């Protein structure tokens, strides 16, 4: 199951993130069990699986909110720097390894304005420029220049997620879909090499889902950022992912391009909930090809 | 060894008192997630009602001690419970859906109010009371003597705790109370009168605090309007120490704090006993933030 | 139940009203019988009891009538209740009640019910809903916030000019100094509670550290106030870091209770370490501040120093020192205010507010939460230390009595009542919390009683604090732009949810 063997030496092909034998236990419960996979730069890697498959736990391990029981997670920046994520405290993963994330239940700074949310995201850059507030308190130009740049970056991303005109709104007052987009913009303002999205399409209508897909492909293609995505919405996953990893009961059951995963019997079994080693009832078995076909058309 | 046993008994009886107060904190925190800052004053009121009842009985000529004690207990539990109920009704219920600081500030305000209310009505001077329950139980050839009051405190507390545990775990009311602790909305949807259960929680907490107040009056024989603050803080410490939200935890925390205080004052002198208590609280919170019996909590993301 | 029109012809449900009022009166009876009706008195033979049944009857009667009044408003009899309640309030000035307190209850209670009745008559409704009331207050808060742009400077100018006016006598200046001290403490605590969303119940500890730092340094080493002021600030900040380091990881209420414990520990140390701190007797003879080390405020200065009045060719007046102290605390307070206004627009301040809103999201953005919180704690502690050493030099005498929990509670009340995070709210709340009781000094005993009740009432009336309103720290379109007046200027969450951490979700 390990992907170690396929780590080639060609620089172009070096995976951005390599997860090896990751296991996370909560007491007796094994939420993630010996999962290994890789994610590449400028690719969208989707992690899918039924509810309770351990996707969010995996995410929380990668982004440093949990420290895994066993396993290794290596992040390789395009410039060759390497980070062992399991050894870093939570905030360092964003600060130094440049991994940004969003949350399943949106976590914006609801009482602050949209623009302020994006300024907070550039905290580390700004606080250095403000001389840990001393230059900032004095209003030195060294700080004001950096602040102006930060506002420009914020405006760029606001424009990208079509929220520019709402810049001065209170974030908590935005409609739901806009909040999701703002969270992505906020994560991108940290200028990450890898963006982790926890169910970004949850609660969106089909139009908003399409918008989201567009934003994600833009991030992948124009910013050469690796995107790691947990998603339930198969239409989004199948249309934009370059690589899909399927989890079930904490284990990886399939790994490959969307087409491969879609036709993998193990995945179909997991989703249709068939008991292992049991024959499908004839009527369901007969429907299987059609179900697969419908999924292919994008549900 | 004898001295040790003596301090042990002292610590246990003191711990029983803290535990009784701590139950009120822990139940309220469990059900509405607020620190009922005025609970210490409720305990103080309990002590005052007990004192007043005793004096009233005296002026009526009832001096048979067992009867007097029984009436004191009943009166102080009843009247103090009404105070507990009223405080919740006036100062907390309207703030149930407010930002978290609002009920806390309201509670601090209530605490200041009650303290001054008693001070104005009953006077600022401390109230001495001649010992009601006298006599000692001597053991080990007189090496250890335990006053009946302290023994009674421990026995009554154990009995109350037993009854109370039965109430919470066995009865309809207890089930509703536990359900509200888990999820008030859902409990409400299933036909539990949430407001009533919360009121009852305050009433029960106040009644237990009243018992503690009466015990303190009997053991130390002197009370004043200011006793609520420190006892309240320590009892809350006990609740946190045991794991807030957990009833056995509150009792355990109370006993631990009582023992620490008794042994510290017994062996190190009483000036620094409060520092010892608070230091232990800080240490416990740092190394075991959920308390001794609290369930570990994972940061939900 | 809502929106029953005033002219509703519906018959009044007397039995229900009487029953409700009787129940309320019964509760009042149970509350008053033991504590109001029976008073313990000291007799030569020991404790005795006195009965005051007339007070119980009066109190229960008032509660009964008040409840009927409220019920009648609900039934749409606003006009009737208005007249009766106003009459009752007026009668309170003439009728002889058993005690003054009951008379005040009659007057105030009558007035409140009359106001509610008037509101009901005017709006045709028995009661404003919490949300509507909140919205109204939000609008007021936003207006005040807006006005503070010019109100603030005017206030500062007035405060600067005040000692020069003939109005300024000793007593008023003293009250001014007292108010400014609490404004400064409120602004200092606002950094921790209002911005960073950390509920600190032991702020007075840093105030004490500052005060004792100066007093002890002056006592043992003879250092001057101007040298000690920064030292006291540093020591307080250091103690803030010392405390903060282990406890800042704690969440919400645990944090609150540990800070409370810390405040008590400091106080107990001050009391018990009497060889060093003077114990409960405190330290007296703390040197008064000089005029920046150049001149003294004495009639006859010591050898080699100048007297302030000689230096400026003025007539000697004992007021000079008071006026100087007044300006000193004014400047110190303004420094805190300036710092807060400025830091809010800096990454540090934004990180604080972000922590208050959602600290998990902060971690995901690479913000070092511990350091940020530690900074808030240390800075607020430093300002508390400044205020403390000012307090020591002003009083000339300090003792642990001045640093009890009630002080922390008062400062916290100022911050929360004013509306968390609102600078002008702190000023307004200080006037209410410190100024009003100061004005009613003759009520002595009842002061703290009213203070406690006032805290409860303000929270009931406006749980988020009087002037809770948050202005964005940076605007893309300017104040008159697209966002202004829009939802951005709307509800100041003011961290109500953020503070004290979400409970186990």
């Amino acid at each position: 199951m390990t992907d170690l063997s396929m780590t080639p030496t060609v620089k172009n092909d070096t995976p951005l993130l390599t997860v090896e034998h990751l296991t996370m236990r909560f007491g007796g419960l094994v939420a993630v069990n010996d999962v290994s996979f890789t994610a590449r730069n400028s690719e969208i890697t989707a992690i899918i699986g039924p509810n309770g498959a351990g996707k969010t736990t995996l995410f929380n391990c990668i982004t440093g909110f949990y420290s895994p029981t066993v396993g290794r997670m290596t992040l390789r920046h395009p410039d060759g720097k390497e980070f062992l994520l399991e050894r870093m405290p939570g905030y360092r993963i964003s600060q130094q390894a440049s991994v940004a994330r969003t949350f399943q239940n949106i976590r914006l700074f609801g009482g602050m304005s949209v623009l302020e949310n994006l300024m907070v995201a550039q905290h580390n850059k700004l606080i250095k420029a403000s001389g840990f507030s001393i230059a900032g308190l004095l209003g030195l130009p060294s700080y004001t220049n950096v602040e102006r740049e930060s506002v420009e970056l914020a405006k760029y991303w606001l424009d990208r997620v079509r929220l520019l005109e709402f810049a001065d709104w209170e974030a908590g007052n935005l409609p739901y879909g806009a909040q999701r987009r703002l969270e992505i913009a906020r994560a991108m303002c940290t200028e990450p090499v890898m963006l982790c999205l926890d169910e970004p399409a949850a609660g969106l209508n089909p139009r908003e889902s399409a918008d989201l897909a567009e934003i994600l492909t833009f991030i992948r293609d124009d910013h050469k950022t690796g995107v790691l995505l947990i998603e339930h919405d198969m239409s989004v996953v199948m249309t934009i992912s370059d690589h899909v990893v399927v989890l079930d009961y904490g284990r990886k059951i399939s790994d490959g391009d969307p087409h491969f995963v879609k036709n993998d019997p193990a995945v179909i079994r997991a989703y249709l909930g068939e008991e292992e080693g049991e024959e499908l009832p004839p009527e369901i078995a007969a429907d299987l090809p059609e179900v697969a076909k419908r999924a292919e058309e994008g549900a | 060894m004898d001295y040790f046993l003596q301090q042990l008994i002292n610590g246990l009886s003191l711990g029983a008192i803290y535990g009784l107060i701590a139950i009120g904190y822990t139940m309220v925190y469990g059900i509405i997630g607020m620190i009922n800052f005025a609970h210490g004053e409720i305990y103080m009121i309990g002590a005052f009602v007990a004192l007043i009842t005793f004096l009233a009985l005296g002026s009526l000529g009832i001096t048979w001690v067992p009867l007097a004690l029984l009436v004191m207990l009943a009166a102080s539990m009843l009247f103090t419970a009404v105070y507990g109920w009223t405080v919740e009704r006036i100062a907390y219920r309207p703030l149930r859906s407010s930002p978290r600081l609002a009920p806390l500030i309201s509670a601090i305000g209530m605490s200041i109010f009650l303290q001054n209310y008693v001070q104005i009505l009953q006077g600022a001077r401390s109230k001495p009371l001649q010992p009601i329950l006298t006599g000692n139980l001597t053991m080990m050839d007189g090496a250890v003597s335990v006053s009946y009051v302290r023994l009674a405190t421990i026995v009554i507390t154990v009995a109350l705790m037993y009854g109370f545990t039965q109430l919470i775990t066995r009865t309809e009311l207890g089930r509703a109370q536990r359900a509200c602790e888990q999820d008030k909305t859902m409990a409400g949807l299933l036909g539990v009168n949430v407001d009533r259960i919360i009121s009852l929680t305050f009433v029960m907490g106040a009644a237990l605090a009243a018992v503690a107040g009466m015990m303190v009056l009997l053991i130390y024989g002197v009370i004043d309007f200011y006793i609520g603050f420190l006892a309240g803080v320590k009892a809350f410490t006990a609740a946190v120490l045991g794991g807030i939200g957990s009833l056995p935890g509150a009792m355990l925390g109370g006993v631990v704090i009582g023992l620490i205080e008794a042994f510290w004052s017994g062996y190190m002198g009483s000036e620094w006993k409060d520092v010892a208590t608070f230091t232990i609280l800080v240490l416990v919170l740092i190394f075991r933030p959920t308390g001794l019996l609290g369930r570990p909590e994972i940061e939900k993301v | 139940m809502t929106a029953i029109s005033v002219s509703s012809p519906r018959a009044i449900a007397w039995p229900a009203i009487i029953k409700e009022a009787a129940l309320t009166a019964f509760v009042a009876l149970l509350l008053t019988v033991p504590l109001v009706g029976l008073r313990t008195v000291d007799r030569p033979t020991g404790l005795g009891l006195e009965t005051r049944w007339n007070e119980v009857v009066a109190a229960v009667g008032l509660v009964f009538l008040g409840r009927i009044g409220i019920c009648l408003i609900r039934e749409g009899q606003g006009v009737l209740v208005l007249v009766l309640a106003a009459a009752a309030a007026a009668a309170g000035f003439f009728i002889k009640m058993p005690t003054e307190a009951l008379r005040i209850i009659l007057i105030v209670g009558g007035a409140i019910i009359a106001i509610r009745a008037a509101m009901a008559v005017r709006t045709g409704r028995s009661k404003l809903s919490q949300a509507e009331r909140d919205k109204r207050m939000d609008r007021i808060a936003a207006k005040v916030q807006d006005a503070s742009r010019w109100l603030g400077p005017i206030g500062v100018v007035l405060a600067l000019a005040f000692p020069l006016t003939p109005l300024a006598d000793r007593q008023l200046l003293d009250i001014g100094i007292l108010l400014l001290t609490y404004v400064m403490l409120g602004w200092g605590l606002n950094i921790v509670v209002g911005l960073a969303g950390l509920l600190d119940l032991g702020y007075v500890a840093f105030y004490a550290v500052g005060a004792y730092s100066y007093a002890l340094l002056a006592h043992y080493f003879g250092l001057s106030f101007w040298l000690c002021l920064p030292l006291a600030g540093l020591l307080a900040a250091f103690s803030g870091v010392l405390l903060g380091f282990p406890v800042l990881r704690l969440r919400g209420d645990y944090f609150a209770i540990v800070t409370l414990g810390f405040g008590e520990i400091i106080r107990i140390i001050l009391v018990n370490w009497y060889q060093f701190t003077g114990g409960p007797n405190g330290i007296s003879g703390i040197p008064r501040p000089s005029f920046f080390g150049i001149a003294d405020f004495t009639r006859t200065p010591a050898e080699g120093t100048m007297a302030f009045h000689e230096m400026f060719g003025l007539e000697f007046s004992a007021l000079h020192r008071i006026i100087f102290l007044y300006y000193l605390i004014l400047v110190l307070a303004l420094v805190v205010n300036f710092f807060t206004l400025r830091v809010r627009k800096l990454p540090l301040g934004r990180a604080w507010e972000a922590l208050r809103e959602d600290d998990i999201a902060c971690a995901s953005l690479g913000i070092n939460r511990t350091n940020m919180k530690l900074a808030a704690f240390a800075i607020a502690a430093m300002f508390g230390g400044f205020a403390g050493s000012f307090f020591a030099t002003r009083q000339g005498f300090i003792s642990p009595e001045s640093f009890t929990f009630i002080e922390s509670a008062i400062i916290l009340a100022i911050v929360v009542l004013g509306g968390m995070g609102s600078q002008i709210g702190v000023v307004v709340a200080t006037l209410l919390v410190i100024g009003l009781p100061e004005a009613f000094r003759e009520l002595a005993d009842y002061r703290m009683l009213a203070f406690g009740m006032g805290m409860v009432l303000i929270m009931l009336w406006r749980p988020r604090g009087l002037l809770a309103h948050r202005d964005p720290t940076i605007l893309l379109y300017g104040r008159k732009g697209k966002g202004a007046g829009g939802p951005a200027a709307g509800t100041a969450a003011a961290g109500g949810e953020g503070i004290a951490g979400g409970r186990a979700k």
Side-chain angles (χ1 to χ4, degrees):
Chain A
M1 272 286 204
T2 60
D3 294 323
L4 274 177
S5 54
M6 48 183 279
T7 315
T9 41
V10 190
K11 193 190 172 202
N12 206 11
D13 228 23
T14 313
L16 177 65
L17 173 73
T18 313
V19 174
E20 295 159 278
H21 305 291
L22 189 77
T23 299
M24 180 76 208
R25 280 195 201 99
F26 295 109
L29 176 82
V30 188
V32 176
N33 192 354
D34 196 24
V35 170
S36 303
F37 68 93
T38 59
R40 278 155 209 288
N41 219 352
S42 309
E43 270 193 15
I44 295 178
T45 304
I47 300 174
I48 64 170
N51 281 333
K55 299 173 306 245
T56 299
T57 307
L58 175 66
F59 241 54
N60 286 340
C61 289
I62 294 172
T63 51
F65 282 93
Y66 299 160
S67 51
T69 322
V70 185
R72 193 156 86 153
M73 302 173 292
T74 321
L75 187 83
R76 249 178 232 106
H77 280 196
D79 63 7
K81 261 192 264 171
E82 270 193 31
F83 298 91
L84 289 175
L85 299 184
E86 75 277 7
R87 300 208 182 147
M88 301 170 77
Y91 72 94
R92 286 262 161 86
I93 288 181
S94 163
Q95 191 185 44
Q96 293 174 351
S98 301
V99 175
R101 72 166 291 173
T102 64
F103 295 88
Q104 195 172 339
N105 42 351
I106 308 175
R107 283 183 177 274
L108 288 171
F109 306 122
M112 300 171 81
S113 81
V114 169
L115 181 59
E116 282 175 316
N117 267 270
L118 302 191
M119 296 300 282
V120 172
Q122 302 175 61
H123 172 82
N124 286 311
K125 180 172 68 186
L126 282 165
I127 197 141
K128 239 180 243 142
S130 78
F132 299 92
S133 300
I134 293 161
L137 279 174
L138 301 172
L140 298 185
S142 61
Y143 170 67
T144 38
N145 289 339
V146 178
E147 188 181 36
R148 207 167 306 130
E149 283 164 29
S150 304
V151 174
E152 285 311 313
L153 182 66
K155 271 164 81 177
Y156 170 81
W157 280 110
L158 281 181
D159 190 32
R160 274 292 140 203
V161 299
R162 292 184 291 100
L163 288 174
L164 192 52
E165 58 189 304
F166 300 105
D168 293 342
W169 277 47
E170 202 168 284
N173 286 344
L174 290 178
Y176 188 79
Q179 292 197 9
R180 284 247 176 247
R181 295 205 301 279
L182 176 59
E183 213 189 6
I184 295 174
R186 187 179 69 180
M188 286 313 291
C189 274
T190 65
E191 300 170 89
V193 298
M194 186 168 82
L195 173 66
C196 303
L197 301 167
D198 195 347
E199 299 201 20
L204 299 189
N205 63 34
R207 245 219 74 173
E208 291 171 322
S209 288
D211 285 350
L212 175 77
E214 193 190 308
I215 293 170
L216 295 188
T217 39
F218 170 79
I219 288 171
R220 171 188 64 188
D221 299 338
D222 291 39
H223 281 265
K224 309 289 177 228
T225 305
V227 177
L228 197 62
L229 174 75
I230 293 182
E231 194 41 80
H232 271 303
D233 188 331
M234 284 305 149
S235 68
V236 174
V237 172
M238 291 305 162
T239 43
I240 65 170
S241 306
D242 302 294
H243 175 194
V244 179
V245 176
V246 190
L247 298 185
D248 190 23
Y249 293 111
R251 289 181 165 279
K252 185 169 90 168
I253 58 168
S254 185
D255 186 347
D257 63 40
H259 185 74
F260 169 78
V261 164
K262 195 156 38 186
N263 297 311
D264 189 339
V267 177
I268 296 168
R269 244 199 323 271
Y271 269 85
L272 294 180
E274 182 218 13
E275 294 282 315
E276 233 169 302
E278 193 182 290
E279 285 288 307
L280 281 172
E283 57 269 38
I284 292 179
D287 283 346
L288 262 187
E290 206 198 323
V291 172
K293 202 170 133 218
R294 238 186 284 156
E296 192 157 28
E297 283 158 7
Chain B
M1 190 60 201
D2 319 334
Y3 191 62
F4 178 86
L5 273 179
Q6 190 85 56
Q7 296 307 325
L8 185 71
I9 300 283
N10 287 353
L12 282 177
S13 56
L14 189 60
I17 290 169
Y18 287 147
L20 284 173
I21 311 174
I23 286 173
Y25 278 111
T26 219
M27 280 203 307
V28 167
Y29 195 92
I31 203 161
I32 53 176
M34 71 165 281
I35 303 177
N36 177 13
F37 221 96
H39 194 59
E41 308 328 319
I42 295 287
Y43 144 83
M44 178 267 293
I45 286 177
F48 266 91
V49 174
L51 172 69
I52 289 169
T53 313
F54 178 77
L55 293 176
L57 288 176
S59 63
L60 291 176
I62 300 169
T63 46
W64 190 47
V65 173
L67 178 66
L69 288 180
L70 218 59
V71 176
M72 272 166 83
L73 190 68
S76 107
M77 282 175 87
L78 169 73
F79 289 113
T80 312
V82 178
Y83 271 93
W85 182 86
T86 313
V87 166
E88 193 271 337
R89 189 69 190 75
I90 291 178
Y92 306 153
R93 188 178 292 182
L95 292 175
R96 218 170 276 157
S97 56
S98 304
R100 300 203 47 173
L101 261 187
L104 183 75
I105 294 293
S106 178
I108 292 177
M110 209 50 178
S111 159
I112 295 174
F113 173 82
L114 289 176
Q115 226 178 66
N116 286 279
Y117 170 78
V118 173
Q119 184 193 355
I120 288 170
L121 291 173
Q122 302 292 337
R125 298 184 40 190
S126 53
K127 308 282 167 191
L129 181 70
Q130 78 277 23
I132 302 172
L133 200 56
T134 49
N136 292 302
L137 183 67
T138 48
M139 287 181 292
M140 300 169 69
D141 302 326
V144 178
S145 78
V146 181
S147 64
Y148 286 127
V149 178
R150 288 193 183 266
L151 272 185
T153 303
I154 297 172
V155 170
I156 290 180
T157 306
V158 169
L160 270 176
M161 275 312 289
Y162 176 77
F164 193 68
T165 313
Q166 294 295 312
L167 181 76
I168 292 295
T169 52
R170 294 285 156 80
T171 64
E172 189 68 29
L173 174 73
R175 191 154 48 235
Q177 209 265 350
R178 282 178 292 144
C180 288
E181 230 168 81
Q182 297 289 321
D183 189 334
K184 281 197 287 296
T185 320
M186 197 60 215
L189 287 174
L190 293 176
V192 175
N193 185 342
V194 177
D195 278 344
R196 216 185 58 158
I197 295 296
I198 293 176
S199 281
L200 273 172
T201 304
F202 276 83
V203 164
M204 291 187 288
L208 291 181
V211 178
M214 176 174 150
M215 298 301 175
V216 161
L217 177 71
L218 293 182
I219 292 180
Y220 297 103
V222 59
I223 55 171
D224 61 50
F225 73 98
Y226 199 65
I227 57 169
F229 173 68
L230 201 57
V233 170
K234 282 192 190 152
F236 186 76
T237 304
V240 171
L241 189 65
I244 198 143
S246 149
L247 291 181
M251 214 56 227
L252 177 68
V255 169
V256 169
I257 296 229
L259 288 175
I260 290 170
E261 261 197 61
F263 282 111
W264 192 281
S265 359
Y267 289 97
M268 314 277 203
S270 63
E271 294 101 357
W272 299 100
K273 66 179 188 336
D274 297 341
V275 174
T277 312
F278 288 125
T279 311
I280 289 197
L281 168 78
V282 174
L283 290 178
V284 167
L285 282 179
I286 290 168
F287 293 109
R288 203 179 151 79
T290 50
L292 298 173
L293 299 185
R295 264 169 283 139
E297 216 174 276
I298 306 166
E299 196 169 26
K300 279 260 167 60
V301 178
Chain C
M1 227 20 196
T2 53
I4 295 169
S5 107
V6 179
S7 53
S8 161
R10 208 167 59 127
I12 302 166
W14 280 110
I17 291 179
I18 297 289
K19 196 178 149 203
E20 193 178 331
L23 265 176
T24 319
F26 180 62
V27 170
L29 182 72
L30 288 181
L31 288 177
T32 48
V33 160
L35 288 177
V36 178
L38 297 163
R39 307 280 178 86
T40 51
V41 284
D42 295 308
R43 296 226 177 91
T45 51
L47 277 183
L49 269 190
E50 246 177 42
T51 54
R52 302 274 182 85
W53 299 122
N54 55 343
E55 291 178 30
V56 173
V57 171
V60 170
L62 285 182
V63 168
F64 182 74
L65 291 176
R67 188 80 208 181
I68 286 187
I70 290 170
C71 289
L72 282 178
I73 296 176
R74 211 172 50 204
E75 296 276 330
Q77 300 296 322
V79 185
L80 177 68
V81 176
L82 176 59
V83 173
L84 287 178
F93 288 99
F94 307 108
I95 298 180
K96 196 170 153 345
M97 293 296 274
T99 64
E100 277 306 296
L102 280 167
R103 174 183 281 193
I104 291 171
I105 289 173
L106 173 61
I107 296 172
V108 174
I112 288 177
I113 291 177
I115 291 170
R116 276 181 75 164
M119 289 284 284
V121 172
R122 204 164 67 86
T123 59
R125 287 213 264 150
S126 63
K127 210 172 158 189
L128 280 178
S129 75
Q130 178 75 46
E132 284 170 312
R133 207 164 56 198
D134 236 28
K135 224 177 251 160
R136 284 182 183 202
M137 282 306 291
D138 277 342
R139 272 203 299 273
I140 294 175
K143 270 189 200 139
V144 171
Q145 186 75 36
D146 210 35
S148 71
R149 252 168 282 278
W150 51 269
L151 221 59
I154 289 180
V156 171
V157 169
L158 282 182
L160 281 172
F162 166 67
L164 308 176
T165 59
L167 264 172
D169 59 358
R170 170 88 202 231
Q171 198 194 352
L172 276 183
L173 276 171
D174 272 341
I175 291 180
I177 290 173
L178 184 73
L179 288 176
L180 283 169
T181 311
Y182 277 99
V183 168
M184 174 169 181
L185 287 169
W187 278 338
L189 185 62
N190 206 5
I191 295 173
V192 176
V193 178
L195 291 185
L198 299 165
L199 180 51
D200 183 353
L201 288 180
Y203 190 58
V204 77
F206 305 124
Y207 189 46
V209 168
Y212 270 87
S213 295
Y214 170 53
L216 292 172
L217 283 172
H219 184 77
Y220 287 105
F221 301 106
L223 299 185
S224 79
F225 174 73
W226 294 103
L227 191 63
C228 288
L229 186 67
L231 278 179
L234 277 181
L235 281 170
F238 180 67
S239 65
V241 172
L242 264 190
L243 163 73
F245 212 70
V247 305
L248 279 171
R249 288 182 306 153
L250 300 176
R251 285 189 311 113
D253 298 330
Y254 291 142
F255 177 83
I257 208 75
V258 170
T259 50
L260 190 156
F262 181 71
E264 280 300 296
I265 287 179
I266 293 267
R267 199 180 59 80
I268 296 168
I269 290 177
L270 292 179
V271 172
N272 283 333
W273 197 7
Y274 52 86
Q275 302 91 333
F276 183 56
T277 63
N281 298 327
I283 303 175
S284 52
I286 302 168
R288 303 305 189 132
S290 59
F291 184 70
F292 303 111
I294 309 168
D296 273 333
F297 294 98
T298 44
R299 191 185 289 278
T300 48
E303 278 305 299
T305 51
M306 263 181 119
F308 176 79
H309 61 282
E310 287 170 1
M311 195 168 136
F312 289 89
L314 300 169
E315 188 101 339
F316 175 79
S317 157
L319 266 190
H320 287 160
R321 193 209 327 262
I322 312 284
I323 293 175
F324 180 69
L325 284 170
Y326 175 88
Y327 280 125
L328 179 60
I329 188 67
L330 181 62
V331 168
L332 282 173
L334 286 177
V335 165
V336 182
N337 184 38
F338 174 79
F339 173 84
T340 307
L341 292 180
R342 195 92 192 112
V343 83
R344 270 194 74 218
K345 298 185 197 297
L346 292 177
L348 183 62
R350 291 209 187 104
W352 287 341
E353 292 199 77
L355 277 172
R356 177 191 74 200
E357 299 282 322
D358 191 327
D359 79 332
I360 287 178
C362 280
S364 86
L365 297 173
I367 294 174
N368 186 337
R369 293 182 280 182
T370 317
N371 284 1
M372 291 299 119
K373 289 181 186 174
L374 218 49
F377 222 62
I379 291 172
M382 181 179 74
F383 289 139
F386 287 156
S389 56
F390 172 83
F391 176 75
T393 195
R394 185 211 136 172
Q395 298 288 67
F397 163 75
I398 50 171
S399 76
E401 281 283 287
S402 309
F403 308 104
T404 51
F405 168 73
I406 193 85
E407 286 296 312
S408 286
I410 289 175
I411 304 167
L412 182 70
I414 287 175
V415 173
V416 178
L417 296 184
M420 287 204 307
S422 166
Q423 294 292 96
I424 197 120
V426 166
V427 179
V428 172
T430 308
L431 289 176
L432 276 178
V433 169
I434 308 293
L436 271 189
E438 233 14 75
F440 292 98
R441 249 194 187 284
E442 64 270 28
L443 287 175
D445 283 354
Y446 292 93
R447 231 156 42 111
M448 289 312 281
L449 192 76
F451 174 69
M453 204 67 237
M455 265 166 92
V456 175
L457 289 179
I458 293 182
M459 276 298 112
L460 293 183
W461 186 55
R462 168 91 171 153
R464 289 215 323 264
L466 291 173
L467 296 175
H469 175 82
R470 183 180 179 281
D471 266 347
T473 58
I474 184 169
L475 289 168
L476 207 51
Y477 302 110
R479 295 191 29 76
K480 299 273 174 262
K482 293 185 201 179
T491 55
E497 308 306 326
I499 195 144
R503 207 153 87 77
K505 278 178 189 146

